[in-house]
Amino acid sequence: MELSWLETFIALAESKSMRSAASGLGISPATASERLIALEDEIGAQLLHRTPRGSELTEAGRLYIVQAKKLISDWNDIISIVKPMENRLFRHISLGFPCNTMFPGVGRFIDEFILRHREIELSMYNDSDIGIAEGLRSGIVDIFFAFEPLEMVRRDMAVKLVHRSRLGVLIPPDHRLALRTSASLSEFDGETFVLYPPVHDSSMNELQKRVLRESGIRYIEYGGYFSDVMYPLTVQIGCGVTLIPKIMLRNAHPHSVFLELTDDFCDCNIYMLYDPACANPAVKMFLDEFGDDIGRDET
């Protein structure tokens, strides 16, 4: 069970409006609905039902919300106990990356950073290991890199643009557009898209859904499941086409064809997310030495 499911349920119960609750949490109404459904599936009971006046608690919901609030309170108490421990001198830094992807330049920077600070130990995660919001809020991950949109980021997290990329469509070599180098999403109307597995609060899955919504095309979402490791094989074995940032081409199957998208809404930026109140001196050194350079995809 995710803490975000409980927070969403409480917000929905208190606001009685899906749109209002989602806005307050900084997520889309669709994401709020998915979290509520996941929570109800987990506990095996309906918690809310819709009325002309908005969402109302069911009998099970009135009982469960008491425990949900207690669980959130207990978690915050745990964090308040653990956080002061950060006042000691840390010699460890943990980084998170989306979709097993490390953007150009960061690998070299990390290598040089560790060589300059040999006393610092490094841990690395991806969004299949832990959710972005959960990882940052709990302190398990000090800095997380994520694609836009950043709906899962809490208001107290710092957000810094660090890389600009473009989205494209990965297609099999026998596709009707395979001889092209670029295309508009409108040319894929009616096709099957394989979306990145919605592990935790994956920014890649959110980005793909946002772009497909904005495109206005009709499309079929592939119904099977692939882990994040197997996901690059989906195009090659004929499951459909995928939306991926140009930066992820190194992860793609070598016999797939990448078409850069020409649509204005297909920019794809990568952000560095971190808690500005973090007392870990290793994090401060990393941020200071990383600088303000904004990378771009190689052409």
Side-chain angles (χ1 to χ4, degrees), residues 123-164:
S123 295
M124 291 197 292
Y125 300 84
N126 66 24
D127 52 12
S128 66
D129 298 320
I130 190 169
I132 297 170
E134 178 187 358
L136 290 169
R137 186 173 58 180
S138 67
I140 294 174
V141 178
D142 297 309
I143 298 171
F144 225 121
F145 297 91
F147 296 109
E148 60 179 343
L150 305 174
E151 295 179 346
M152 74 294 295
V153 180
R154 296 294 184 259
R155 294 186 181 91
D156 56 351
M157 292 299 164
V159 181
K160 178 181 178 181
L161 174 64
V162 294
H163 191 84
R164 297 187 187 277

mmCIF file of all heavy atoms in Angstrom, residues 123-164:
data_model
loop_
_atom_site.group_PDB
_atom_site.id
_atom_site.type_symbol
_atom_site.label_atom_id
_atom_site.label_comp_id
_atom_site.label_asym_id
_atom_site.label_seq_id
_atom_site.Cartn_x
_atom_site.Cartn_y
_atom_site.Cartn_z
ATOM 1 N N SER A 123 24.734 5.560 -3.588
ATOM 2 C CA SER A 123 23.692 4.584 -3.898
ATOM 3 C C SER A 123 22.843 5.148 -5.033
ATOM 4 O O SER A 123 22.625 6.355 -5.101
ATOM 5 C CB SER A 123 22.790 4.317 -2.679
ATOM 6 O OG SER A 123 23.515 3.710 -1.629
ATOM 7 N N MET A 124 22.359 4.265 -5.916
ATOM 8 C CA MET A 124 21.531 4.717 -7.032
ATOM 9 C C MET A 124 20.285 3.844 -7.137
ATOM 10 O O MET A 124 20.351 2.627 -6.973
ATOM 11 C CB MET A 124 22.321 4.703 -8.346
ATOM 12 C CG MET A 124 23.412 5.750 -8.392
ATOM 13 S SD MET A 124 24.050 6.097 -10.057
ATOM 14 C CE MET A 124 24.872 4.554 -10.418
ATOM 15 N N TYR A 125 19.156 4.487 -7.424
ATOM 16 C CA TYR A 125 17.865 3.819 -7.553
ATOM 17 C C TYR A 125 17.227 4.246 -8.872
ATOM 18 O O TYR A 125 17.634 5.230 -9.487
ATOM 19 C CB TYR A 125 16.924 4.220 -6.414
ATOM 20 C CG TYR A 125 17.412 3.891 -5.032
ATOM 21 C CD1 TYR A 125 18.275 4.752 -4.358
ATOM 22 C CD2 TYR A 125 17.014 2.728 -4.386
ATOM 23 C CE1 TYR A 125 18.731 4.460 -3.079
ATOM 24 C CE2 TYR A 125 17.450 2.425 -3.105
ATOM 25 C CZ TYR A 125 18.318 3.298 -2.454
ATOM 26 O OH TYR A 125 18.754 3.008 -1.194
ATOM 27 N N ASN A 126 16.187 3.502 -9.297
ATOM 28 C CA ASN A 126 15.340 4.007 -10.373
ATOM 29 C C ASN A 126 13.887 3.966 -9.910
ATOM 30 O O ASN A 126 13.593 3.514 -8.802
ATOM 31 C CB ASN A 126 15.546 3.266 -11.692
ATOM 32 C CG ASN A 126 15.109 1.820 -11.647
ATOM 33 O OD1 ASN A 126 14.268 1.425 -10.835
ATOM 34 N ND2 ASN A 126 15.669 1.000 -12.509
ATOM 35 N N ASP A 127 12.973 4.448 -10.749
ATOM 36 C CA ASP A 127 11.585 4.569 -10.311
ATOM 37 C C ASP A 127 10.857 3.235 -10.226
ATOM 38 O O ASP A 127 9.679 3.201 -9.876
ATOM 39 C CB ASP A 127 10.808 5.559 -11.181
ATOM 40 C CG ASP A 127 10.940 5.262 -12.667
ATOM 41 O OD1 ASP A 127 11.442 4.172 -13.011
ATOM 42 O OD2 ASP A 127 10.558 6.108 -13.477
ATOM 43 N N SER A 128 11.525 2.145 -10.553
ATOM 44 C CA SER A 128 10.929 0.831 -10.280
ATOM 45 C C SER A 128 11.315 0.344 -8.883
ATOM 46 O O SER A 128 10.681 -0.558 -8.342
ATOM 47 C CB SER A 128 11.364 -0.195 -11.334
ATOM 48 O OG SER A 128 12.751 -0.448 -11.255
ATOM 49 N N ASP A 129 12.372 0.944 -8.302
ATOM 50 C CA ASP A 129 12.783 0.595 -6.938
ATOM 51 C C ASP A 129 11.916 1.302 -5.905
ATOM 52 O O ASP A 129 11.506 0.705 -4.909
ATOM 53 C CB ASP A 129 14.252 0.994 -6.698
ATOM 54 C CG ASP A 129 15.222 0.264 -7.603
ATOM 55 O OD1 ASP A 129 15.016 -0.945 -7.821
ATOM 56 O OD2 ASP A 129 16.172 0.892 -8.089
ATOM 57 N N ILE A 130 11.659 2.581 -6.156
ATOM 58 C CA ILE A 130 10.908 3.387 -5.195
ATOM 59 C C ILE A 130 10.280 4.565 -5.920
ATOM 60 O O ILE A 130 10.842 5.074 -6.902
ATOM 61 C CB ILE A 130 11.832 3.872 -4.060
ATOM 62 C CG1 ILE A 130 11.008 4.498 -2.924
ATOM 63 C CG2 ILE A 130 12.886 4.847 -4.574
ATOM 64 C CD1 ILE A 130 11.813 4.749 -1.677
ATOM 65 N N GLY A 131 9.116 4.991 -5.471
ATOM 66 C CA GLY A 131 8.458 6.135 -6.073
ATOM 67 C C GLY A 131 9.230 7.419 -5.829
ATOM 68 O O GLY A 131 9.936 7.552 -4.826
ATOM 69 N N ILE A 132 9.083 8.370 -6.728
ATOM 70 C CA ILE A 132 9.834 9.624 -6.634
ATOM 71 C C ILE A 132 9.448 10.388 -5.375
ATOM 72 O O ILE A 132 10.309 10.758 -4.562
ATOM 73 C CB ILE A 132 9.597 10.477 -7.891
ATOM 74 C CG1 ILE A 132 10.129 9.737 -9.123
ATOM 75 C CG2 ILE A 132 10.287 11.830 -7.763
ATOM 76 C CD1 ILE A 132 9.728 10.367 -10.446
ATOM 77 N N ALA A 133 8.143 10.647 -5.195
ATOM 78 C CA ALA A 133 7.705 11.403 -4.022
ATOM 79 C C ALA A 133 8.036 10.667 -2.730
ATOM 80 O O ALA A 133 8.525 11.252 -1.762
ATOM 81 C CB ALA A 133 6.204 11.675 -4.118
ATOM 82 N N GLU A 134 7.775 9.350 -2.721
ATOM 83 C CA GLU A 134 8.041 8.556 -1.523
ATOM 84 C C GLU A 134 9.527 8.538 -1.191
ATOM 85 O O GLU A 134 9.929 8.684 -0.034
ATOM 86 C CB GLU A 134 7.536 7.124 -1.723
ATOM 87 C CG GLU A 134 7.801 6.199 -0.543
ATOM 88 C CD GLU A 134 7.450 4.748 -0.846
ATOM 89 O OE1 GLU A 134 6.968 4.470 -1.967
ATOM 90 O OE2 GLU A 134 7.666 3.907 0.026
ATOM 91 N N GLY A 135 10.367 8.369 -2.232
ATOM 92 C CA GLY A 135 11.810 8.313 -2.015
ATOM 93 C C GLY A 135 12.361 9.601 -1.441
ATOM 94 O O GLY A 135 13.182 9.586 -0.514
ATOM 95 N N LEU A 136 11.903 10.736 -1.972
ATOM 96 C CA LEU A 136 12.387 12.031 -1.501
ATOM 97 C C LEU A 136 11.863 12.347 -0.111
ATOM 98 O O LEU A 136 12.596 12.835 0.749
ATOM 99 C CB LEU A 136 11.979 13.128 -2.485
ATOM 100 C CG LEU A 136 12.687 13.110 -3.840
ATOM 101 C CD1 LEU A 136 12.010 14.083 -4.810
ATOM 102 C CD2 LEU A 136 14.163 13.472 -3.688
ATOM 103 N N ARG A 137 10.576 12.088 0.115
ATOM 104 C CA ARG A 137 9.971 12.445 1.401
ATOM 105 C C ARG A 137 10.552 11.602 2.538
ATOM 106 O O ARG A 137 10.749 12.095 3.654
ATOM 107 C CB ARG A 137 8.462 12.270 1.334
ATOM 108 C CG ARG A 137 7.760 12.756 2.589
ATOM 109 C CD ARG A 137 6.264 12.729 2.427
ATOM 110 N NE ARG A 137 5.773 11.407 2.102
ATOM 111 C CZ ARG A 137 4.500 11.122 1.918
ATOM 112 N NH1 ARG A 137 3.606 12.084 1.995
ATOM 113 N NH2 ARG A 137 4.114 9.895 1.627
ATOM 114 N N SER A 138 10.835 10.349 2.273
ATOM 115 C CA SER A 138 11.368 9.462 3.310
ATOM 116 C C SER A 138 12.855 9.658 3.538
ATOM 117 O O SER A 138 13.389 9.223 4.557
ATOM 118 C CB SER A 138 11.102 7.998 2.930
ATOM 119 O OG SER A 138 11.852 7.651 1.778
ATOM 120 N N GLY A 139 13.541 10.302 2.588
ATOM 121 C CA GLY A 139 14.982 10.477 2.708
ATOM 122 C C GLY A 139 15.782 9.311 2.165
ATOM 123 O O GLY A 139 17.017 9.320 2.226
ATOM 124 N N ILE A 140 15.105 8.289 1.631
ATOM 125 C CA ILE A 140 15.842 7.159 1.045
ATOM 126 C C ILE A 140 16.638 7.633 -0.166
ATOM 127 O O ILE A 140 17.761 7.195 -0.409
ATOM 128 C CB ILE A 140 14.875 6.027 0.649
ATOM 129 C CG1 ILE A 140 14.226 5.437 1.905
ATOM 130 C CG2 ILE A 140 15.584 4.941 -0.151
ATOM 131 C CD1 ILE A 140 13.154 4.415 1.614
ATOM 132 N N VAL A 141 16.059 8.545 -0.948
ATOM 133 C CA VAL A 141 16.742 9.142 -2.092
ATOM 134 C C VAL A 141 16.949 10.625 -1.811
ATOM 135 O O VAL A 141 16.018 11.333 -1.433
ATOM 136 C CB VAL A 141 15.923 8.962 -3.391
ATOM 137 C CG1 VAL A 141 16.630 9.623 -4.564
ATOM 138 C CG2 VAL A 141 15.697 7.480 -3.673
ATOM 139 N N ASP A 142 18.178 11.102 -1.975
ATOM 140 C CA ASP A 142 18.489 12.516 -1.726
ATOM 141 C C ASP A 142 18.118 13.391 -2.913
ATOM 142 O O ASP A 142 17.599 14.492 -2.739
ATOM 143 C CB ASP A 142 19.991 12.681 -1.435
ATOM 144 C CG ASP A 142 20.415 11.952 -0.177
ATOM 145 O OD1 ASP A 142 19.769 12.156 0.870
ATOM 146 O OD2 ASP A 142 21.382 11.169 -0.240
ATOM 147 N N ILE A 143 18.423 12.914 -4.122
ATOM 148 C CA ILE A 143 18.165 13.680 -5.340
ATOM 149 C C ILE A 143 17.554 12.732 -6.364
ATOM 150 O O ILE A 143 18.088 11.653 -6.620
ATOM 151 C CB ILE A 143 19.460 14.293 -5.912
ATOM 152 C CG1 ILE A 143 20.069 15.279 -4.910
ATOM 153 C CG2 ILE A 143 19.195 14.986 -7.241
ATOM 154 C CD1 ILE A 143 21.454 15.767 -5.301
ATOM 155 N N PHE A 144 16.433 13.116 -6.942
ATOM 156 C CA PHE A 144 15.788 12.293 -7.963
ATOM 157 C C PHE A 144 15.714 13.087 -9.258
ATOM 158 O O PHE A 144 15.351 14.258 -9.258
ATOM 159 C CB PHE A 144 14.363 11.907 -7.541
ATOM 160 C CG PHE A 144 14.021 10.465 -7.783
ATOM 161 C CD1 PHE A 144 13.632 9.646 -6.741
ATOM 162 C CD2 PHE A 144 14.091 9.918 -9.061
ATOM 163 C CE1 PHE A 144 13.315 8.311 -6.946
ATOM 164 C CE2 PHE A 144 13.783 8.580 -9.286
ATOM 165 C CZ PHE A 144 13.399 7.782 -8.218
ATOM 166 N N PHE A 145 16.092 12.457 -10.358
ATOM 167 C CA PHE A 145 15.943 13.050 -11.682
ATOM 168 C C PHE A 145 14.657 12.491 -12.279
ATOM 169 O O PHE A 145 14.399 11.290 -12.213
ATOM 170 C CB PHE A 145 17.142 12.714 -12.566
ATOM 171 C CG PHE A 145 18.435 13.274 -12.047
ATOM 172 C CD1 PHE A 145 19.241 12.542 -11.185
ATOM 173 C CD2 PHE A 145 18.839 14.547 -12.405
ATOM 174 C CE1 PHE A 145 20.431 13.064 -10.700
ATOM 175 C CE2 PHE A 145 20.028 15.084 -11.922
ATOM 176 C CZ PHE A 145 20.824 14.343 -11.068
ATOM 177 N N ALA A 146 13.830 13.345 -12.874
ATOM 178 C CA ALA A 146 12.534 12.895 -13.373
ATOM 179 C C ALA A 146 12.127 13.666 -14.604
ATOM 180 O O ALA A 146 12.507 14.825 -14.791
ATOM 181 C CB ALA A 146 11.467 13.063 -12.293
ATOM 182 N N PHE A 147 11.346 12.991 -15.471
ATOM 183 C CA PHE A 147 10.756 13.657 -16.631
ATOM 184 C C PHE A 147 9.578 14.507 -16.173
ATOM 185 O O PHE A 147 9.014 14.286 -15.109
ATOM 186 C CB PHE A 147 10.270 12.632 -17.660
ATOM 187 C CG PHE A 147 11.363 11.803 -18.258
ATOM 188 C CD1 PHE A 147 11.494 10.459 -17.935
ATOM 189 C CD2 PHE A 147 12.271 12.363 -19.144
ATOM 190 C CE1 PHE A 147 12.497 9.690 -18.489
ATOM 191 C CE2 PHE A 147 13.272 11.601 -19.699
ATOM 192 C CZ PHE A 147 13.391 10.264 -19.380
ATOM 193 N N GLU A 148 9.193 15.465 -16.999
ATOM 194 C CA GLU A 148 7.957 16.199 -16.743
ATOM 195 C C GLU A 148 6.767 15.352 -17.200
ATOM 196 O O GLU A 148 6.964 14.428 -17.984
ATOM 197 C CB GLU A 148 7.981 17.527 -17.496
ATOM 198 C CG GLU A 148 8.102 17.392 -19.000
ATOM 199 C CD GLU A 148 8.089 18.740 -19.711
ATOM 200 O OE1 GLU A 148 7.671 19.756 -19.130
ATOM 201 O OE2 GLU A 148 8.514 18.754 -20.864
ATOM 202 N N PRO A 149 5.530 15.600 -16.767
ATOM 203 C CA PRO A 149 5.163 16.607 -15.772
ATOM 204 C C PRO A 149 5.449 16.112 -14.355
ATOM 205 O O PRO A 149 5.532 14.909 -14.132
ATOM 206 C CB PRO A 149 3.666 16.759 -15.983
ATOM 207 C CG PRO A 149 3.244 15.389 -16.427
ATOM 208 C CD PRO A 149 4.371 14.859 -17.266
ATOM 209 N N LEU A 150 5.602 16.999 -13.427
ATOM 210 C CA LEU A 150 6.021 16.660 -12.077
ATOM 211 C C LEU A 150 4.852 16.688 -11.102
ATOM 212 O O LEU A 150 4.881 17.331 -10.079
ATOM 213 C CB LEU A 150 7.116 17.637 -11.623
ATOM 214 C CG LEU A 150 8.302 17.702 -12.593
ATOM 215 C CD1 LEU A 150 9.259 18.789 -12.172
ATOM 216 C CD2 LEU A 150 9.014 16.369 -12.649
ATOM 217 N N GLU A 151 3.777 15.973 -11.448
ATOM 218 C CA GLU A 151 2.572 16.014 -10.629
ATOM 219 C C GLU A 151 2.765 15.390 -9.257
ATOM 220 O O GLU A 151 2.051 15.708 -8.312
ATOM 221 C CB GLU A 151 1.428 15.310 -11.358
ATOM 222 C CG GLU A 151 1.009 16.023 -12.633
ATOM 223 C CD GLU A 151 -0.113 15.299 -13.352
ATOM 224 O OE1 GLU A 151 -0.356 14.134 -13.003
ATOM 225 O OE2 GLU A 151 -0.714 15.900 -14.245
ATOM 226 N N MET A 152 3.731 14.478 -9.138
ATOM 227 C CA MET A 152 3.893 13.769 -7.883
ATOM 228 C C MET A 152 4.796 14.498 -6.890
ATOM 229 O O MET A 152 4.991 14.059 -5.778
ATOM 230 C CB MET A 152 4.454 12.367 -8.145
ATOM 231 C CG MET A 152 5.938 12.326 -8.525
ATOM 232 S SD MET A 152 6.311 13.099 -10.112
ATOM 233 C CE MET A 152 5.422 11.986 -11.180
ATOM 234 N N VAL A 153 5.350 15.646 -7.299
ATOM 235 C CA VAL A 153 6.299 16.347 -6.442
ATOM 236 C C VAL A 153 5.567 17.164 -5.384
ATOM 237 O O VAL A 153 4.659 17.917 -5.702
ATOM 238 C CB VAL A 153 7.203 17.278 -7.275
ATOM 239 C CG1 VAL A 153 8.194 18.003 -6.372
ATOM 240 C CG2 VAL A 153 7.938 16.476 -8.325
ATOM 241 N N ARG A 154 5.976 17.035 -4.151
ATOM 242 C CA ARG A 154 5.367 17.807 -3.084
ATOM 243 C C ARG A 154 5.830 19.257 -3.166
ATOM 244 O O ARG A 154 6.893 19.576 -3.693
ATOM 245 C CB ARG A 154 5.767 17.213 -1.717
ATOM 246 C CG ARG A 154 5.231 15.793 -1.514
ATOM 247 C CD ARG A 154 3.704 15.802 -1.440
ATOM 248 N NE ARG A 154 3.183 14.489 -1.164
ATOM 249 C CZ ARG A 154 2.668 13.684 -2.086
ATOM 250 N NH1 ARG A 154 2.641 14.061 -3.339
ATOM 251 N NH2 ARG A 154 2.206 12.503 -1.761
ATOM 252 N N ARG A 155 5.005 20.157 -2.624
ATOM 253 C CA ARG A 155 5.291 21.589 -2.755
ATOM 254 C C ARG A 155 6.602 21.998 -2.087
ATOM 255 O O ARG A 155 7.180 23.027 -2.419
ATOM 256 C CB ARG A 155 4.143 22.398 -2.147
ATOM 257 C CG ARG A 155 2.823 22.264 -2.888
ATOM 258 C CD ARG A 155 1.785 23.205 -2.304
ATOM 259 N NE ARG A 155 0.511 23.069 -2.995
ATOM 260 C CZ ARG A 155 -0.449 22.247 -2.631
ATOM 261 N NH1 ARG A 155 -0.271 21.466 -1.574
ATOM 262 N NH2 ARG A 155 -1.581 22.171 -3.291
ATOM 263 N N ASP A 156 7.073 21.216 -1.116
ATOM 264 C CA ASP A 156 8.292 21.611 -0.402
ATOM 265 C C ASP A 156 9.557 21.059 -1.051
ATOM 266 O O ASP A 156 10.636 21.155 -0.483
ATOM 267 C CB ASP A 156 8.222 21.153 1.055
ATOM 268 C CG ASP A 156 7.980 19.651 1.188
ATOM 269 O OD1 ASP A 156 7.707 19.001 0.163
ATOM 270 O OD2 ASP A 156 8.066 19.142 2.318
ATOM 271 N N MET A 157 9.452 20.484 -2.251
ATOM 272 C CA MET A 157 10.621 19.993 -2.962
ATOM 273 C C MET A 157 11.143 21.042 -3.941
ATOM 274 O O MET A 157 10.359 21.726 -4.594
ATOM 275 C CB MET A 157 10.290 18.699 -3.719
ATOM 276 C CG MET A 157 10.008 17.518 -2.819
ATOM 277 S SD MET A 157 11.431 17.086 -1.785
ATOM 278 C CE MET A 157 10.621 16.038 -0.566
ATOM 279 N N ALA A 158 12.451 21.171 -4.025
ATOM 280 C CA ALA A 158 13.066 22.070 -5.003
ATOM 281 C C ALA A 158 13.095 21.374 -6.358
ATOM 282 O O ALA A 158 13.328 20.163 -6.443
ATOM 283 C CB ALA A 158 14.481 22.446 -4.573
ATOM 284 N N VAL A 159 12.857 22.125 -7.417
ATOM 285 C CA VAL A 159 12.800 21.587 -8.777
ATOM 286 C C VAL A 159 13.734 22.407 -9.658
ATOM 287 O O VAL A 159 13.600 23.619 -9.763
ATOM 288 C CB VAL A 159 11.367 21.659 -9.341
ATOM 289 C CG1 VAL A 159 11.312 21.068 -10.745
ATOM 290 C CG2 VAL A 159 10.392 20.948 -8.426
ATOM 291 N N LYS A 160 14.691 21.736 -10.304
ATOM 292 C CA LYS A 160 15.672 22.431 -11.131
ATOM 293 C C LYS A 160 15.779 21.755 -12.498
ATOM 294 O O LYS A 160 16.010 20.549 -12.585
ATOM 295 C CB LYS A 160 17.034 22.419 -10.426
ATOM 296 C CG LYS A 160 18.153 23.074 -11.225
ATOM 297 C CD LYS A 160 19.456 22.992 -10.455
ATOM 298 C CE LYS A 160 20.602 23.593 -11.256
ATOM 299 N NZ LYS A 160 21.893 23.493 -10.513
ATOM 300 N N LEU A 161 15.598 22.523 -13.559
ATOM 301 C CA LEU A 161 15.743 21.996 -14.919
ATOM 302 C C LEU A 161 17.212 21.706 -15.195
ATOM 303 O O LEU A 161 18.080 22.564 -15.001
ATOM 304 C CB LEU A 161 15.219 23.014 -15.929
ATOM 305 C CG LEU A 161 15.419 22.685 -17.418
ATOM 306 C CD1 LEU A 161 14.641 21.432 -17.794
ATOM 307 C CD2 LEU A 161 14.988 23.862 -18.282
ATOM 308 N N VAL A 162 17.507 20.477 -15.654
ATOM 309 C CA VAL A 162 18.910 20.120 -15.891
ATOM 310 C C VAL A 162 19.180 19.593 -17.299
ATOM 311 O O VAL A 162 20.337 19.505 -17.719
ATOM 312 C CB VAL A 162 19.395 19.066 -14.860
ATOM 313 C CG1 VAL A 162 19.407 19.656 -13.462
ATOM 314 C CG2 VAL A 162 18.539 17.802 -14.905
ATOM 315 N N HIS A 163 18.139 19.235 -18.059
ATOM 316 C CA HIS A 163 18.383 18.709 -19.397
ATOM 317 C C HIS A 163 17.144 18.880 -20.262
ATOM 318 O O HIS A 163 16.022 18.711 -19.790
ATOM 319 C CB HIS A 163 18.759 17.224 -19.345
ATOM 320 C CG HIS A 163 19.265 16.685 -20.652
ATOM 321 N ND1 HIS A 163 20.577 16.816 -21.053
ATOM 322 C CD2 HIS A 163 18.637 16.043 -21.665
ATOM 323 C CE1 HIS A 163 20.723 16.270 -22.248
ATOM 324 N NE2 HIS A 163 19.560 15.804 -22.637
ATOM 325 N N ARG A 164 17.373 19.232 -21.529
ATOM 326 C CA ARG A 164 16.272 19.373 -22.484
ATOM 327 C C ARG A 164 16.362 18.246 -23.509
ATOM 328 O O ARG A 164 17.426 18.003 -24.070
ATOM 329 C CB ARG A 164 16.332 20.721 -23.190
ATOM 330 C CG ARG A 164 16.168 21.928 -22.269
ATOM 331 C CD ARG A 164 16.062 23.210 -23.082
ATOM 332 N NE ARG A 164 16.070 24.383 -22.242
ATOM 333 C CZ ARG A 164 14.991 24.871 -21.626
ATOM 334 N NH1 ARG A 164 13.825 24.252 -21.767
ATOM 335 N NH2 ARG A 164 15.064 25.956 -20.886
#
